[in-house]
Amino acid sequence: MKIHPELIVCEHCDSVCRRLALVQGEVARCELCGVVLYRADRLNIEQSLALTVAAAIVFMFANTYPVVRISLHGLHNEATLWQSVAALAHGEAAPMAVAAALSVIVVPLLQIMLLGWVLVFSWTGRRAPAFTSVMKTLSALRPWSMVEVCLLGVLVAIIKKELKLNASLHTLLQLLSVTLF
């Protein structure tokens, strides 16, 4: 069977349309029914790769510098993301440690690495090895992108309400907001 990358089939009316080169912000529509077939990329490969490298650098900082500081009666304690997960792993909160490790360390790292893998090969004009499985994995990881925001909100609410502590999570919020793109 011959493949025709210059053609695209409308999923709505099954008509075959010629694929056109679009500039940023343009939308290609079906000639018969008017349904959106595809959109132009918002960023080019170099811009996407630059953002991925920046996300990797910020992720490295987020995992090496203290992101939580808790003060109580003049005493304070600081912890990195890794230390926070390790502290949760002891005792009854061990299942929460797995969820925390997945949502704030493992899944974001995997997303950054896989996206970087695909973009580096694309930038050199080649298809990445295991491209299909990498893209399926990235698609499967997409729902995990905002879980840490929810967990962070729950953590802040518990600390503020139940323990009556002064929790300073400003650095964590900054680093997480930069890594979520």
Side-chain angles (χ1 to χ4, degrees):
M1 177 164 67
K2 191 170 181 181
I3 297 174
H4 297 278
E6 73 278 3
L7 301 176
I8 187 166
V9 176
C10 177
E11 294 180 6
H12 189 260
C13 69
D14 291 331
S15 66
V16 178
C17 301
R18 187 161 305 277
R19 186 179 290 270
L20 303 172
L22 301 176
V23 295
Q24 190 173 8
E26 277 189 322
V27 175
R29 296 188 178 275
C30 177
E31 297 167 359
L32 293 178
C33 66
V35 170
V36 174
L37 296 173
Y38 57 96
R39 299 176 188 276
D41 293 331
R42 292 187 183 127
L43 299 175
N44 61 29
I45 293 171
E46 289 84 10
Q47 291 169 328
S48 297
L49 187 57
L51 285 175
T52 303
V53 170
I57 292 168
V58 171
F59 182 80
M60 185 178 64
F61 283 123
N63 283 285
T64 55
Y65 287 99
V67 292
V68 176
R69 179 183 174 153
I70 298 175
S71 298
L72 178 65
H73 302 298
L75 300 172
H76 71 276
N77 195 5
E78 296 178 342
T80 64
L81 287 175
W82 289 93
Q83 291 168 333
S84 301
V85 170
L88 280 174
H90 301 295
E92 296 177 12
M96 185 65 170
V98 173
L102 281 173
S103 64
V104 299
I105 298 171
V106 176
V107 172
L109 177 63
L110 196 55
Q111 285 178 319
I112 292 168
M113 288 173 50
L114 292 176
L115 187 58
W117 173 260
V118 169
L119 289 172
V120 164
F121 278 96
S122 180
W123 182 57
T124 61
R126 300 180 309 176
R127 182 181 169 138
F131 176 79
T132 305
S133 59
V134 168
M135 293 307 289
K136 286 181 181 178
T137 304
L138 280 170
S139 179
L141 293 175
R142 187 86 173 142
W144 283 84
S145 293
M146 295 300 286
V147 171
E148 63 269 16
V149 176
C150 177
L151 290 176
L152 181 63
V154 170
L155 177 66
V156 170
I158 290 171
I159 289 173
K160 292 281 190 180
K161 186 174 186 325
E162 297 297 325
L163 301 178
K164 308 260 190 282
L165 298 175
N166 294 326
S168 174
L169 298 172
H170 181 69
T171 306
L172 178 62
L173 287 172
Q174 288 177 332
L175 292 173
L176 285 177
S177 66
V178 171
T179 59
L180 297 173
F181 67 88

